[in-house]
Amino acid sequence: MYDGLKGFREFYPGEMSARRELTDTIEKRVRRYGFREIGTPALERTQMYVDKSGEEITEELYAFEDKGGRGVSLTPELTPTVARMVVEKGGELPKPIKWFSTRPFWRYEQVQQGRFREFYQTNVDVFGSEHPEADAEILAVAADILDGLGLSTGDFEFRVSHRDILGGLLESLDSDVETTDAIRAVDKREKIDREEYHELLLDAGLTRDEAERFDEVLGTDDLDDLAAFAETDRVEAAVENLRAVLAAAADFGVRDRCAISLETARGLDYYTGVVFECFDTAGEVSRSVFGGGRYDDLIEGFGGQPTPAVGVGIGHETLSLLCQRAGVYPEEATETDYYVLTVGDTREVAAGIARDLRGLGHVVETDLNDRGFGDQLSYADGIGAETVVVVGEQDLADGCVTIKDMASGEQTQVPLEEFPPSEGRPTDDEEN
Amino acid sequence: MYDGLKGFREFYPGEMSARRELTDTIEKRVRRYGFREIGTPALERTQMYVDKSGEEITEELYAFEDKGGRGVSLTPELTPTVARMVVEKGGELPKPIKWFSTRPFWRYEQVQQGRFREFYQTNVDVFGSEHPEADAEILAVAADILDGLGLSTGDFEFRVSHRDILGGLLESLDSDVETTDAIRAVDKREKIDREEYHELLLDAGLTRDEAERFDEVLGTDDLDDLAAFAETDRVEAAVENLRAVLAAAADFGVRDRCAISLETARGLDYYTGVVFECFDTAGEVSRSVFGGGRYDDLIEGFGGQPTPAVGVGIGHETLSLLCQRAGVYPEEATETDYYVLTVGDTREVAAGIARDLRGLGHVVETDLNDRGFGDQLSYADGIGAETVVVVGEQDLADGCVTIKDMASGEQTQVPLEEFPPSEGRPTDDEEN
C-alpha cells in the first residue's frame, strides 16, 4: 500500500546483522586509539552549509522551513556540526580533541551503485594538533579499520598528497590560474577523458603547454624532483610536511599502505594540508572508497580560535562494496544459541530455563505461538538455533530435559539440575 | 557563530558514553530474546502518517516537499515504517517476526523536561502471534531491560490493562458514548483535575451518574468484580485475555512487576488488546516512562495479511530520568587503558608498543602534539589513563620501559621483551 522513498532503504535482519558487524568492527578499532564517541543532530540551519560551501549546495540539500520559520536542512555531512561543537566548547577541552561518530546523512542526489540519498558514515577527527603525528594517526586508524574488516594490503591503497603541492605548482606557473577550478579539474581527472580534462585546465587559466607540463609532473612520486621543479617556498614547505607525515606513518606502521599520488586533490575546498583517498586497487575500476585530510582553517572560519584539524569520513556504502569485492563482507545471518521447546504443559519450567540461559548471555527463543513439536522444531531450524532444549512432560517426570544439537542431530538427556551449565556465552563481554 | 536548533542536542563524549552504555544495555537484553535488529529510513511519505493518525498529525510533523515534489516527513515514530516492512516481506518471513531498533525520531513539539524535538527510542515488536505468550514476552523483555540497567522492583511498575475493558465498559452503559473520546479522557485522567476529567467524559456522551460509576469501577483491580459489573461478552473476553497474559507473565517471571490498572489507556487509537505503561513509582510525581501494547489491526490496515502484533517503544529520555532518579544512570566518563609517553627520540618504539597494546584490545593514546614529559603526563591524567608507559631514551638504552600506575603513582621498570604482557583487555569480546 505504501512504498519507501527512492534512495532510502530498509534493512531486514540478515542484511542489518552484516551492517551492524561492519559498524562494530569500525568503531572498536577507532575506540582503541582513544577517539571518543559524540552524538549530533539530524537537522541544522541551512545557512551554515551555504556559508561553508556556497549557495549551490542547496541544490543537493533536503532543505525546508520548519514550523518556526527557520531555514533548516537534513545534515549532508558531519564537519560543519563538529566544527560548531568545537567552537562552542573547544576552549574547555584538553587538546587534542579526538572524536568519532557513526550515523546517516542525506543528500538529494542521483541514486546509483554505492550512492543513496540516505547514507551512513563513520567520521573520525583530531582537533588541536598541527603535528604530523595527527595526520599519521588518521592514516593508521583508517588502515587498522580495514585490517579489522579482513582486508589485506593488496585490496586497497591510500593515495596521499598535500593540498599546497597542487596549489603551489599552479602558483609557480606564469599564467594567472584559478587555483580552485584547476584543483577541481584534477579531482575529476580519473572520471573524465583526457581531452575534457585538458579543457578544464585551460578554462582554469593554464596554457596548453602549461597543462601538459603540469600533467607530467603530477605523475611523479619523487618528492625531490617535485620540489626542484616548482622552486617555490610553498611547494618546498608542503613537500617537507608530506615527508614528515610519511615518516610518522612509517613509525605508526602504515607507510607501506601509502602511495604518493599528487593528483589526489579531494573535491572539497576546505582542505589545507595532507589529503588522502583510499582506493580499491583490486577492483576492475579503481575507485575511491573514502578520503580525508587536514583542514586547519575551518574552525577559525566558524568563529572559533585557530584550531588545526585532520580527519577522515568513511562511507559505509562504498566500504561495503570494497569488502564484498574482496570477499570479506560479514555474513548476513541471524544467530540463535538456544530454542527452548515445550511439549505439553511445561511452559513454566521451559520459561525458567530460557531465563537462566539468557542470564548467561545466550540468545534464546521460546514458543510464542502455541505450536506443536514439529512446528516448533522447524521454526528453531529457521532461526538457525544451534541447540534445542526439549522440555516435555515425560522428560520432566524423569527430572530431565533433552538437548538436541541441531548441526549433528545428536540428542542427550540431561538432569534438570545440571542444565544450563553455569558457564556463559563465550563472546559475551560483560554482565549487562 | 552558529547555534544549534531548539530541541536538538549535541552530546559531548562524557554524556555520550553514558548514553551509549544505556543503549548497549538495552540492546544486549533485547537480543537475548531473539529480537533481530532492523534498519529504517529517517524520511517517509507524509500521507502514511495522515492516513494512520489523521490530518492533525501534520501539526507536529517535520513535513515538507522534497525536490521531486513528494510530500515527505521526518519519521515521528517507528510503527508505520515497520508495518510497511511487514506488509512488503511478511509473507516470506517465518512467524513470529521479532524485530528491534534504536534510533532518533522527530516531532515539532514544545520542548520541556524529558521532551525534545529529536528524541531516541528502542522499539521492540512481535508480529504474527495472537497468543498471550507474545504479550508476556514484551513485558518480560521490558522488565529485563530495566533489571539490566540496575533498576529494582521498587523503582517502577507496569500498569497493565486491556483496551476492550475500557471499550466494553463504555459500551455497556445506556448512553450513546463516543468511545475514542472517552478513552482519550481516561488517558488524560492523571494529568488533569477531576472536574476537567469529568467534563471530558460528559463531552464524550456519558451522563454525570454514568461518569461516576465508570470512574469507580476503573479503580478496581479485581477482574471478577469487573466482569460481573459489565456483563457483556466483550468485557468477559477481554478479562479472560488479560488473565491469560498475566498467567504467562507469571511463568515468564514478571508477574510481580505488573499491576492491573484499568485507567491505563494509552493515547493512541490503534491498540486493540493488552496495553501497558511503565510508571516511575518512586518519583515524586508518578509518571509514565514508556508504554506498549497489542495492535492486531494495523498491518491489515496497511494493506497486509491480517497479522497480530504487540510491542513496546522505550523512550531513552524518560528512561534516563528514571535511572537518574534511582541513582543508576551510567557514569559519564571516558576510559583510557594506556597512555604511551615518549621522551626524546623514541617515537618508533613507543608507536610499536601502542600498536601491540591496541592489538590486545586496549584503548591507547600517544603523543600527537610533540609535548614534553610534564605536559604529556597531565594530558594522560586528563583523559583518565589507568597506566602510563614511559618510553625514554635512557629506558631504551637499558632495554626497558617504565610503567606508571596512575591511581597509586607506583612506577616499575619492565624489560621491553616482557611488555606488553600477552593477555588482552578482559572485557574485550572478540578479535575484530
Side-chain angles (χ1 to χ4, degrees), chain A residues 61-233:
Chain A
L61 288 178
Y62 281 92
F64 61 101
E65 203 170 272
D66 79 4
K67 292 195 202 300
R70 304 170 191 90
V72 297
S73 289
L74 284 170
T75 50
E77 56 160 326
L78 188 68
T79 309
T81 299
V82 289
R84 186 165 71 66
M85 289 173 71
V86 171
V87 170
E88 209 165 298
K89 291 247 178 96
E92 311 159 24
L93 300 168
K95 307 285 179 317
I97 297 165
K98 295 169 69 175
W99 287 346
F100 82 92
S101 64
T102 302
R103 39 157 298 187
F105 296 94
W106 301 272
R107 285 177 194 245
Y108 196 84
E109 287 190 301
Q110 277 308 111
V111 176
Q112 57 188 67
Q113 194 202 26
R115 184 180 288 176
F116 300 91
R117 289 178 177 170
E118 177 172 65
F119 55 94
Y120 293 76
Q121 274 185 9
T122 300
N123 281 271
V124 185
D125 293 279
V126 178
F127 298 95
S129 169
E130 66 193 351
H131 296 275
E133 286 84 359
D135 307 71
E137 180 157 289
I138 289 293
L139 289 164
V141 72
D144 215 341
I145 287 167
L146 300 177
D147 285 347
L149 291 168
L151 293 159
S152 40
T153 309
D155 296 318
F156 69 92
E157 74 180 5
F158 294 150
R159 299 189 183 164
V160 185
S161 186
H162 189 294
R163 195 59 180 265
D164 277 351
I165 291 179
L166 274 179
L169 283 175
L170 292 163
E171 217 176 53
S172 75
L173 300 171
D174 292 329
S175 301
D176 190 16
V177 175
E178 280 291 337
T179 312
T180 306
D181 291 350
I183 289 177
R184 283 199 179 138
V186 172
D187 193 47
K188 288 189 186 151
R189 193 169 178 253
E190 301 243 334
K191 292 161 210 147
I192 59 184
D193 70 30
R194 193 124 214 93
E195 195 45 43
E196 205 180 333
Y197 169 55
H198 273 222
E199 279 312 314
L200 286 174
L201 289 179
L202 302 192
D203 289 351
L206 282 78
T207 64
R208 196 162 281 278
D209 177 55
E210 285 171 339
E212 274 167 25
R213 277 166 48 217
F214 177 70
D215 199 26
E216 196 177 321
V217 76
L218 281 195
T220 187
D221 62 357
D222 185 324
L223 294 178
D224 290 325
D225 277 7
L226 187 72
F229 175 88
E231 283 189 313
T232 70
D233 290 350

Side-chain angles (χ1 to χ4, degrees), chain B residues 193-206:
Chain B
D193 68 31
R194 194 123 214 94
E195 196 44 44
E196 205 181 333
Y197 169 54
H198 274 222
E199 280 310 316
L200 287 174
L201 289 179
L202 302 191
D203 289 351
L206 283 78

Side-chain angles (χ1 to χ4, degrees), chain B residues 207-417:
Chain B
T207 65
R208 195 160 281 276
D209 177 55
E210 284 171 339
E212 274 167 24
R213 278 164 48 215
F214 177 70
D215 199 25
E216 197 177 320
V217 76
L218 281 193
T220 189
D221 63 355
D222 184 322
L223 294 178
D224 291 324
D225 278 6
L226 186 73
F229 175 90
E231 285 189 310
T232 69
D233 290 352
R234 186 174 170 204
V235 173
E236 204 171 305
V239 166
E240 199 181 315
N241 179 246
L242 179 54
R243 271 193 227 280
V245 169
L246 291 172
D251 284 354
F252 288 6
V254 289
R255 177 63 185 87
D256 61 339
R257 308 303 180 86
C258 301
I260 295 170
S261 171
L262 303 182
E263 68 265 34
T264 297
R266 304 285 297 145
L268 293 161
D269 302 333
Y270 61 80
Y271 286 108
T272 58
V274 163
V275 289
F276 74 97
E277 290 193 349
C278 173
F279 269 78
D280 173 6
T281 44
E284 272 173 45
V285 182
S286 170
R287 67 181 281 172
S288 169
V289 182
F290 60 80
R294 183 167 276 285
Y295 52 102
D296 286 347
D297 297 340
L298 189 72
I299 304 298
E300 197 177 358
F302 268 58
Q305 292 300 310
T307 307
V310 56
V312 60
I314 298 173
H316 290 208
E317 277 67 30
T318 46
L319 180 59
S320 296
L321 288 178
L322 172 62
C323 290
Q324 278 156 6
R325 274 209 278 264
V328 299
Y329 190 69
E331 207 187 333
E332 298 189 354
T334 52
E335 284 180 11
T336 312
D337 299 317
Y338 289 94
Y339 181 88
V340 182
L341 192 156
T342 50
V343 189
D345 187 18
T346 65
R347 188 178 69 187
E348 188 181 354
V349 177
I353 290 171
R355 208 155 58 237
D356 290 346
L357 287 166
R358 288 181 185 127
L360 293 165
H362 297 291
V363 174
V364 185
E365 291 204 34
T366 61
D367 181 33
L368 301 184
N369 287 61
D370 200 19
R371 285 174 177 149
F373 183 90
D375 286 345
Q376 285 186 66
L377 203 61
S378 67
Y379 177 76
D381 192 44
I383 59 171
E386 282 180 35
T387 305
V388 170
V389 182
V390 182
V391 187
E393 290 181 339
Q394 190 50 54
D395 288 295
L396 291 187
D398 300 343
C400 287
V401 289
T402 300
I403 310 297
K404 185 183 170 77
D405 182 286
M406 292 295 273
S408 68
E410 223 170 278
Q411 292 195 180
T412 45
Q413 264 212 338
V414 176
L416 252 182
E417 62 266 26

